Amino acid sequence: MTHELKTPVFLIKLAAKILEERLQVSEHTVLQLIKRESDRLLYCFISIKYLI
């Protein structure tokens, strides 16, 4: 289960990293939101893994 959940989050984080290099500074606010929320999801998935 963890693999199926973590892989999409890692891909979102990778896409955000690529976008960060290409976007203007004024557009980084939305990008920071994407990165922060994907980190939260990843943390939740890892926490769930240890509860199961």
Side-chain angles (χ1 to χ4, degrees):
M1 175 178 105
T2 306
H3 175 72
E4 289 82 6
L5 297 173
K6 283 175 34 178
T7 300
V9 174
F10 281 123
L11 291 175
I12 291 169
K13 290 173 69 67
L14 177 61
K17 178 75 172 161
I18 292 168
L19 283 174
E20 185 175 37
E21 297 170 359
R22 297 180 181 186
L23 293 178
Q24 297 178 7
V25 175
S26 63
E27 299 171 306
H28 280 205
T29 303
V30 173
L31 189 58
Q32 293 302 323
L33 175 65
I34 293 169
K35 290 168 69 176
R36 184 179 68 234
E37 295 304 317
S38 62
D39 285 342
R40 284 183 57 203
L41 281 173
L42 188 58
Y43 176 78
C44 287
F45 297 152
I46 291 170
S47 297
I48 290 170
K49 176 183 174 185
Y50 289 107
L51 291 175
I52 296 177

Tab-separated table of all heavy atoms in Angstrom:
chain	number	residue	atom	x	y	z
A	1	MET	N	0.816	-1.194	0.000
A	1	MET	CA	0.000	0.000	0.000
A	1	MET	C	0.862	1.262	0.000
A	1	MET	O	0.583	2.208	-0.725
A	1	MET	CB	-0.917	0.011	1.220
A	1	MET	CG	-1.709	1.290	1.342
A	1	MET	SD	-2.825	1.292	2.726
A	1	MET	CE	-1.959	2.365	3.835
A	2	THR	N	1.903	1.254	0.782
A	2	THR	CA	2.716	2.451	0.898
A	2	THR	C	3.316	2.859	-0.433
A	2	THR	O	3.342	4.036	-0.774
A	2	THR	CB	3.830	2.235	1.932
A	2	THR	OG1	3.240	1.815	3.151
A	2	THR	CG2	4.607	3.484	2.176
A	3	HIS	N	3.794	1.883	-1.200
A	3	HIS	CA	4.403	2.181	-2.497
A	3	HIS	C	3.403	2.877	-3.421
A	3	HIS	O	3.749	3.844	-4.095
A	3	HIS	CB	4.919	0.896	-3.131
A	3	HIS	CG	5.447	1.081	-4.506
A	3	HIS	ND1	6.635	1.711	-4.764
A	3	HIS	CD2	4.928	0.743	-5.707
A	3	HIS	CE1	6.838	1.741	-6.064
A	3	HIS	NE2	5.817	1.164	-6.659
A	4	GLU	N	2.173	2.396	-3.428
A	4	GLU	CA	1.149	2.969	-4.301
A	4	GLU	C	0.807	4.402	-3.909
A	4	GLU	O	0.367	5.197	-4.729
A	4	GLU	CB	-0.129	2.113	-4.278
A	4	GLU	CG	0.008	0.790	-4.977
A	4	GLU	CD	0.667	-0.274	-4.110
A	4	GLU	OE1	0.933	-0.020	-2.910
A	4	GLU	OE2	0.953	-1.358	-4.626
A	5	LEU	N	1.009	4.756	-2.669
A	5	LEU	CA	0.716	6.106	-2.203
A	5	LEU	C	1.931	7.023	-2.308
A	5	LEU	O	1.805	8.194	-2.650
A	5	LEU	CB	0.234	6.066	-0.748
A	5	LEU	CG	-1.070	5.314	-0.498
A	5	LEU	CD1	-1.335	5.207	0.995
A	5	LEU	CD2	-2.230	6.001	-1.186
A	6	LYS	N	3.099	6.491	-2.002
A	6	LYS	CA	4.298	7.323	-1.982
A	6	LYS	C	4.773	7.706	-3.381
A	6	LYS	O	5.247	8.833	-3.584
A	6	LYS	CB	5.424	6.614	-1.237
A	6	LYS	CG	5.266	6.668	0.257
A	6	LYS	CD	6.269	5.893	1.057
A	6	LYS	CE	7.652	5.803	0.549
A	6	LYS	NZ	8.556	5.068	1.432
A	7	THR	N	4.660	6.820	-4.340
A	7	THR	CA	5.160	7.106	-5.684
A	7	THR	C	4.519	8.350	-6.301
A	7	THR	O	5.231	9.218	-6.799
A	7	THR	CB	4.993	5.880	-6.603
A	7	THR	OG1	5.739	4.789	-6.032
A	7	THR	CG2	5.502	6.158	-7.993
A	8	PRO	N	3.186	8.491	-6.265
A	8	PRO	CA	2.595	9.723	-6.823
A	8	PRO	C	3.066	10.983	-6.091
A	8	PRO	O	3.277	12.022	-6.712
A	8	PRO	CB	1.090	9.519	-6.649
A	8	PRO	CG	0.904	8.055	-6.543
A	8	PRO	CD	2.148	7.533	-5.897
A	9	VAL	N	3.247	10.891	-4.785
A	9	VAL	CA	3.706	12.059	-4.034
A	9	VAL	C	5.121	12.430	-4.449
A	9	VAL	O	5.448	13.606	-4.630
A	9	VAL	CB	3.619	11.809	-2.512
A	9	VAL	CG1	4.228	12.967	-1.736
A	9	VAL	CG2	2.172	11.606	-2.089
A	10	PHE	N	5.980	11.442	-4.616
A	10	PHE	CA	7.346	11.727	-5.066
A	10	PHE	C	7.352	12.355	-6.451
A	10	PHE	O	8.141	13.259	-6.734
A	10	PHE	CB	8.205	10.454	-5.068
A	10	PHE	CG	8.702	10.068	-3.707
A	10	PHE	CD1	8.419	8.819	-3.195
A	10	PHE	CD2	9.460	10.937	-2.942
A	10	PHE	CE1	8.883	8.454	-1.936
A	10	PHE	CE2	9.926	10.583	-1.684
A	10	PHE	CZ	9.634	9.335	-1.184
A	11	LEU	N	6.456	11.895	-7.330
A	11	LEU	CA	6.376	12.476	-8.667
A	11	LEU	C	5.876	13.919	-8.617
A	11	LEU	O	6.347	14.773	-9.369
A	11	LEU	CB	5.479	11.624	-9.563
A	11	LEU	CG	6.053	10.257	-9.935
A	11	LEU	CD1	5.030	9.445	-10.717
A	11	LEU	CD2	7.335	10.410	-10.722
A	12	ILE	N	4.939	14.202	-7.728
A	12	ILE	CA	4.462	15.577	-7.560
A	12	ILE	C	5.599	16.462	-7.063
A	12	ILE	O	5.795	17.581	-7.539
A	12	ILE	CB	3.260	15.624	-6.589
A	12	ILE	CG1	2.046	14.957	-7.243
A	12	ILE	CG2	2.940	17.062	-6.167
A	12	ILE	CD1	0.891	14.697	-6.299
A	13	LYS	N	6.368	15.943	-6.104
A	13	LYS	CA	7.499	16.711	-5.578
A	13	LYS	C	8.551	16.956	-6.659
A	13	LYS	O	9.124	18.041	-6.735
A	13	LYS	CB	8.121	15.986	-4.385
A	13	LYS	CG	7.221	15.996	-3.147
A	13	LYS	CD	7.757	15.134	-2.040
A	13	LYS	CE	9.008	15.666	-1.420
A	13	LYS	NZ	8.874	16.895	-0.669
A	14	LEU	N	8.795	15.974	-7.495
A	14	LEU	CA	9.754	16.131	-8.591
A	14	LEU	C	9.266	17.183	-9.589
A	14	LEU	O	10.035	18.043	-10.018
A	14	LEU	CB	9.988	14.795	-9.294
A	14	LEU	CG	10.916	14.815	-10.499
A	14	LEU	CD1	12.314	15.286	-10.099
A	14	LEU	CD2	10.970	13.441	-11.142
A	15	ALA	N	7.993	17.117	-9.945
A	15	ALA	CA	7.429	18.105	-10.869
A	15	ALA	C	7.508	19.506	-10.271
A	15	ALA	O	7.818	20.473	-10.971
A	15	ALA	CB	5.978	17.744	-11.195
A	16	ALA	N	7.271	19.625	-8.976
A	16	ALA	CA	7.364	20.930	-8.311
A	16	ALA	C	8.792	21.452	-8.359
A	16	ALA	O	9.016	22.647	-8.571
A	16	ALA	CB	6.879	20.816	-6.865
A	17	LYS	N	9.746	20.573	-8.177
A	17	LYS	CA	11.162	20.977	-8.235
A	17	LYS	C	11.515	21.497	-9.630
A	17	LYS	O	12.185	22.511	-9.777
A	17	LYS	CB	12.040	19.781	-7.859
A	17	LYS	CG	13.502	20.026	-7.928
A	17	LYS	CD	13.954	20.858	-6.772
A	17	LYS	CE	15.466	20.913	-6.768
A	17	LYS	NZ	15.962	22.016	-5.985
A	18	ILE	N	11.051	20.808	-10.658
A	18	ILE	CA	11.309	21.236	-12.034
A	18	ILE	C	10.639	22.580	-12.305
A	18	ILE	O	11.245	23.481	-12.897
A	18	ILE	CB	10.835	20.155	-13.033
A	18	ILE	CG1	11.720	18.907	-12.904
A	18	ILE	CG2	10.853	20.687	-14.463
A	18	ILE	CD1	11.172	17.687	-13.615
A	19	LEU	N	9.394	22.726	-11.863
A	19	LEU	CA	8.682	23.992	-12.057
A	19	LEU	C	9.370	25.136	-11.322
A	19	LEU	O	9.418	26.257	-11.821
A	19	LEU	CB	7.241	23.872	-11.564
A	19	LEU	CG	6.280	23.139	-12.475
A	19	LEU	CD1	4.933	22.971	-11.781
A	19	LEU	CD2	6.110	23.890	-13.790
A	20	GLU	N	9.894	24.851	-10.142
A	20	GLU	CA	10.562	25.889	-9.354
A	20	GLU	C	11.703	26.535	-10.133
A	20	GLU	O	11.946	27.732	-10.030
A	20	GLU	CB	11.086	25.274	-8.057
A	20	GLU	CG	11.700	26.255	-7.103
A	20	GLU	CD	12.086	25.599	-5.809
A	20	GLU	OE1	12.551	24.435	-5.833
A	20	GLU	OE2	11.932	26.231	-4.758
A	21	GLU	N	12.382	25.734	-10.919
A	21	GLU	CA	13.503	26.239	-11.703
A	21	GLU	C	13.049	27.097	-12.885
A	21	GLU	O	13.821	27.899	-13.392
A	21	GLU	CB	14.359	25.076	-12.194
A	21	GLU	CG	15.001	24.293	-11.064
A	21	GLU	CD	15.650	23.006	-11.523
A	21	GLU	OE1	15.585	22.687	-12.735
A	21	GLU	OE2	16.212	22.307	-10.667
A	22	ARG	N	11.801	26.932	-13.307
A	22	ARG	CA	11.326	27.609	-14.516
A	22	ARG	C	10.379	28.775	-14.249
A	22	ARG	O	10.170	29.608	-15.129
A	22	ARG	CB	10.622	26.601	-15.422
A	22	ARG	CG	11.561	25.516	-15.893
A	22	ARG	CD	10.860	24.544	-16.787
A	22	ARG	NE	11.804	23.497	-17.199
A	22	ARG	CZ	11.523	22.578	-18.071
A	22	ARG	NH1	10.346	22.547	-18.644
A	22	ARG	NH2	12.418	21.670	-18.386
A	23	LEU	N	9.791	28.824	-13.070
A	23	LEU	CA	8.796	29.859	-12.782
A	23	LEU	C	9.446	31.141	-12.293
A	23	LEU	O	10.553	31.129	-11.761
A	23	LEU	CB	7.821	29.365	-11.707
A	23	LEU	CG	6.898	28.206	-12.090
A	23	LEU	CD1	6.048	27.820	-10.893
A	23	LEU	CD2	6.016	28.577	-13.263
A	24	GLN	N	8.705	32.210	-12.454
A	24	GLN	CA	9.144	33.491	-11.913
A	24	GLN	C	8.929	33.483	-10.402
A	24	GLN	O	8.087	32.751	-9.882
A	24	GLN	CB	8.353	34.633	-12.547
A	24	GLN	CG	8.562	34.755	-14.035
A	24	GLN	CD	7.705	35.870	-14.618
A	24	GLN	OE1	7.060	36.620	-13.916
A	24	GLN	NE2	7.707	35.938	-15.938
A	25	VAL	N	9.653	34.326	-9.717
A	25	VAL	CA	9.569	34.383	-8.258
A	25	VAL	C	8.142	34.656	-7.788
A	25	VAL	O	7.692	34.093	-6.784
A	25	VAL	CB	10.549	35.451	-7.703
A	25	VAL	CG1	10.390	35.607	-6.212
A	25	VAL	CG2	11.979	35.089	-8.055
A	26	SER	N	7.408	35.477	-8.509
A	26	SER	CA	6.033	35.804	-8.114
A	26	SER	C	5.105	34.589	-8.159
A	26	SER	O	4.049	34.595	-7.531
A	26	SER	CB	5.476	36.907	-9.010
A	26	SER	OG	5.416	36.466	-10.359
A	27	GLU	N	5.491	33.560	-8.873
A	27	GLU	CA	4.664	32.354	-8.988
A	27	GLU	C	5.058	31.279	-7.986
A	27	GLU	O	4.441	30.229	-7.934
A	27	GLU	CB	4.781	31.796	-10.408
A	27	GLU	CG	4.304	32.766	-11.465
A	27	GLU	CD	4.618	32.304	-12.872
A	27	GLU	OE1	5.799	32.015	-13.150
A	27	GLU	OE2	3.672	32.247	-13.671
A	28	HIS	N	6.049	31.536	-7.168
A	28	HIS	CA	6.540	30.528	-6.228
A	28	HIS	C	5.604	30.282	-5.056
A	28	HIS	O	5.711	29.254	-4.406
A	28	HIS	CB	7.927	30.908	-5.725
A	28	HIS	CG	9.004	30.575	-6.697
A	28	HIS	ND1	10.288	30.358	-6.311
A	28	HIS	CD2	9.004	30.409	-8.040
A	28	HIS	CE1	11.032	30.079	-7.365
A	28	HIS	NE2	10.261	30.119	-8.427
A	29	THR	N	4.660	31.185	-4.800
A	29	THR	CA	3.733	30.991	-3.680
A	29	THR	C	2.915	29.722	-3.862
A	29	THR	O	2.799	28.913	-2.938
A	29	THR	CB	2.790	32.207	-3.534
A	29	THR	OG1	3.589	33.370	-3.378
A	29	THR	CG2	1.880	32.051	-2.341
A	30	VAL	N	2.362	29.533	-5.031
A	30	VAL	CA	1.575	28.335	-5.310
A	30	VAL	C	2.473	27.097	-5.272
A	30	VAL	O	2.093	26.052	-4.745
A	30	VAL	CB	0.864	28.440	-6.679
A	30	VAL	CG1	0.184	27.147	-7.048
A	30	VAL	CG2	-0.120	29.587	-6.670
A	31	LEU	N	3.642	27.230	-5.785
A	31	LEU	CA	4.590	26.119	-5.791
A	31	LEU	C	4.964	25.704	-4.363
A	31	LEU	O	5.040	24.515	-4.056
A	31	LEU	CB	5.836	26.506	-6.574
A	31	LEU	CG	6.829	25.413	-6.851
A	31	LEU	CD1	6.186	24.274	-7.626
A	31	LEU	CD2	7.995	25.979	-7.641
A	32	GLN	N	5.164	26.667	-3.493
A	32	GLN	CA	5.478	26.359	-2.097
A	32	GLN	C	4.318	25.620	-1.432
A	32	GLN	O	4.537	24.707	-0.621
A	32	GLN	CB	5.815	27.643	-1.323
A	32	GLN	CG	7.096	28.305	-1.765
A	32	GLN	CD	8.300	27.393	-1.634
A	32	GLN	OE1	8.411	26.619	-0.695
A	32	GLN	NE2	9.202	27.485	-2.583
A	33	LEU	N	3.103	25.979	-1.782
A	33	LEU	CA	1.927	25.282	-1.266
A	33	LEU	C	1.924	23.829	-1.718
A	33	LEU	O	1.690	22.910	-0.915
A	33	LEU	CB	0.647	25.991	-1.732
A	33	LEU	CG	-0.667	25.322	-1.374
A	33	LEU	CD1	-0.869	25.315	0.125
A	33	LEU	CD2	-1.818	26.035	-2.058
A	34	ILE	N	2.196	23.592	-2.985
A	34	ILE	CA	2.253	22.222	-3.522
A	34	ILE	C	3.322	21.418	-2.791
A	34	ILE	O	3.087	20.278	-2.372
A	34	ILE	CB	2.525	22.241	-5.034
A	34	ILE	CG1	1.337	22.831	-5.789
A	34	ILE	CG2	2.851	20.836	-5.546
A	34	ILE	CD1	1.621	23.139	-7.251
A	35	LYS	N	4.487	22.000	-2.609
A	35	LYS	CA	5.581	21.299	-1.946
A	35	LYS	C	5.253	21.012	-0.482
A	35	LYS	O	5.495	19.912	0.013
A	35	LYS	CB	6.869	22.106	-2.066
A	35	LYS	CG	7.409	22.137	-3.494
A	35	LYS	CD	8.506	23.140	-3.681
A	35	LYS	CE	9.762	22.748	-2.955
A	35	LYS	NZ	10.871	23.693	-3.229
A	36	ARG	N	4.689	21.983	0.215
A	36	ARG	CA	4.361	21.802	1.632
A	36	ARG	C	3.311	20.706	1.814
A	36	ARG	O	3.452	19.819	2.668
A	36	ARG	CB	3.870	23.115	2.232
A	36	ARG	CG	3.598	23.008	3.734
A	36	ARG	CD	3.126	24.314	4.333
A	36	ARG	NE	1.794	24.654	3.826
A	36	ARG	CZ	1.480	25.813	3.252
A	36	ARG	NH1	2.380	26.751	3.111
A	36	ARG	NH2	0.253	26.034	2.830
A	37	GLU	N	2.268	20.743	0.988
A	37	GLU	CA	1.195	19.758	1.130
A	37	GLU	C	1.645	18.356	0.709
A	37	GLU	O	1.219	17.361	1.305
A	37	GLU	CB	-0.044	20.197	0.352
A	37	GLU	CG	-0.670	21.469	0.897
A	37	GLU	CD	-1.031	21.394	2.371
A	37	GLU	OE1	-1.577	20.366	2.826
A	37	GLU	OE2	-0.766	22.373	3.090
A	38	SER	N	2.515	18.252	-0.275
A	38	SER	CA	3.018	16.933	-0.652
A	38	SER	C	3.921	16.375	0.448
A	38	SER	O	3.914	15.166	0.702
A	38	SER	CB	3.742	16.969	-2.002
A	38	SER	OG	4.876	17.801	-1.959
A	39	ASP	N	4.651	17.236	1.136
A	39	ASP	CA	5.435	16.791	2.295
A	39	ASP	C	4.519	16.274	3.401
A	39	ASP	O	4.812	15.260	4.035
A	39	ASP	CB	6.304	17.927	2.837
A	39	ASP	CG	7.516	18.216	1.983
A	39	ASP	OD1	7.907	17.348	1.162
A	39	ASP	OD2	8.084	19.321	2.121
A	40	ARG	N	3.416	16.972	3.616
A	40	ARG	CA	2.456	16.517	4.638
A	40	ARG	C	1.866	15.161	4.281
A	40	ARG	O	1.726	14.286	5.145
A	40	ARG	CB	1.322	17.535	4.783
A	40	ARG	CG	1.713	18.771	5.549
A	40	ARG	CD	0.555	19.708	5.730
A	40	ARG	NE	-0.562	19.048	6.394
A	40	ARG	CZ	-1.828	19.441	6.312
A	40	ARG	NH1	-2.146	20.497	5.590
A	40	ARG	NH2	-2.769	18.801	6.945
A	41	LEU	N	1.512	14.973	3.017
A	41	LEU	CA	0.976	13.676	2.586
A	41	LEU	C	1.992	12.567	2.785
A	41	LEU	O	1.661	11.487	3.282
A	41	LEU	CB	0.570	13.728	1.108
A	41	LEU	CG	-0.751	14.374	0.780
A	41	LEU	CD1	-0.902	14.494	-0.730
A	41	LEU	CD2	-1.889	13.541	1.352
A	42	LEU	N	3.216	12.834	2.396
A	42	LEU	CA	4.263	11.828	2.548
A	42	LEU	C	4.449	11.467	4.015
A	42	LEU	O	4.567	10.292	4.368
A	42	LEU	CB	5.568	12.348	1.951
A	42	LEU	CG	6.716	11.369	1.862
A	42	LEU	CD1	6.324	10.145	1.041
A	42	LEU	CD2	7.918	12.042	1.244
A	43	TYR	N	4.459	12.451	4.890
A	43	TYR	CA	4.590	12.205	6.321
A	43	TYR	C	3.430	11.350	6.826
A	43	TYR	O	3.625	10.416	7.606
A	43	TYR	CB	4.653	13.530	7.086
A	43	TYR	CG	4.684	13.354	8.576
A	43	TYR	CD1	5.866	12.978	9.216
A	43	TYR	CD2	3.544	13.541	9.341
A	43	TYR	CE1	5.893	12.796	10.589
A	43	TYR	CE2	3.565	13.368	10.712
A	43	TYR	CZ	4.739	12.994	11.329
A	43	TYR	OH	4.760	12.806	12.692
A	44	CYS	N	2.213	11.646	6.363
A	44	CYS	CA	1.039	10.855	6.762
A	44	CYS	C	1.166	9.407	6.311
A	44	CYS	O	0.870	8.486	7.068
A	44	CYS	CB	-0.235	11.460	6.184
A	44	CYS	SG	-0.742	12.984	6.970
A	45	PHE	N	1.603	9.204	5.076
A	45	PHE	CA	1.746	7.845	4.564
A	45	PHE	C	2.775	7.057	5.362
A	45	PHE	O	2.570	5.886	5.684
A	45	PHE	CB	2.142	7.856	3.090
A	45	PHE	CG	1.121	8.485	2.183
A	45	PHE	CD1	1.506	9.078	1.005
A	45	PHE	CD2	-0.232	8.479	2.495
A	45	PHE	CE1	0.577	9.658	0.155
A	45	PHE	CE2	-1.171	9.062	1.662
A	45	PHE	CZ	-0.755	9.647	0.490
A	46	ILE	N	3.868	7.694	5.686
A	46	ILE	CA	4.916	7.022	6.456
A	46	ILE	C	4.411	6.701	7.861
A	46	ILE	O	4.650	5.610	8.382
A	46	ILE	CB	6.204	7.882	6.497
A	46	ILE	CG1	6.823	7.922	5.099
A	46	ILE	CG2	7.194	7.341	7.518
A	46	ILE	CD1	7.949	8.920	4.946
A	47	SER	N	3.673	7.630	8.454
A	47	SER	CA	3.114	7.389	9.784
A	47	SER	C	2.128	6.233	9.773
A	47	SER	O	2.138	5.394	10.663
A	47	SER	CB	2.421	8.656	10.292
A	47	SER	OG	3.336	9.694	10.439
A	48	ILE	N	1.280	6.188	8.760
A	48	ILE	CA	0.302	5.099	8.633
A	48	ILE	C	1.018	3.770	8.483
A	48	ILE	O	0.602	2.766	9.061
A	48	ILE	CB	-0.647	5.362	7.450
A	48	ILE	CG1	-1.579	6.532	7.780
A	48	ILE	CG2	-1.461	4.115	7.106
A	48	ILE	CD1	-2.378	7.027	6.606
A	49	LYS	N	2.089	3.738	7.729
A	49	LYS	CA	2.845	2.503	7.504
A	49	LYS	C	3.282	1.898	8.823
A	49	LYS	O	3.207	0.685	9.016
A	49	LYS	CB	4.062	2.792	6.626
A	49	LYS	CG	4.942	1.605	6.424
A	49	LYS	CD	6.164	1.981	5.613
A	49	LYS	CE	7.132	0.813	5.521
A	49	LYS	NZ	8.357	1.188	4.843
A	50	TYR	N	3.719	2.730	9.763
A	50	TYR	CA	4.192	2.222	11.035
A	50	TYR	C	3.074	1.882	12.005
A	50	TYR	O	3.293	1.201	12.999
A	50	TYR	CB	5.197	3.202	11.654
A	50	TYR	CG	6.484	3.212	10.897
A	50	TYR	CD1	6.828	4.287	10.094
A	50	TYR	CD2	7.350	2.121	10.934
A	50	TYR	CE1	8.011	4.291	9.364
A	50	TYR	CE2	8.523	2.113	10.214
A	50	TYR	CZ	8.860	3.199	9.438
A	50	TYR	OH	10.002	3.191	8.713
A	51	LEU	N	1.864	2.334	11.720
A	51	LEU	CA	0.722	1.988	12.559
A	51	LEU	C	0.107	0.646	12.181
A	51	LEU	O	-0.525	0.004	12.995
A	51	LEU	CB	-0.358	3.076	12.470
A	51	LEU	CG	-0.013	4.418	13.098
A	51	LEU	CD1	-1.128	5.432	12.815
A	51	LEU	CD2	0.183	4.276	14.595
A	52	ILE	N	0.303	0.273	10.930
A	52	ILE	CA	-0.317	-0.967	10.428
A	52	ILE	C	0.510	-2.169	10.820
A	52	ILE	O	1.631	-2.235	10.911
A	52	ILE	CB	-0.498	-0.886	8.899
A	52	ILE	CG1	-1.470	0.219	8.580
A	52	ILE	CG2	-0.957	-2.213	8.332
A	52	ILE	CD1	-1.683	0.452	7.093
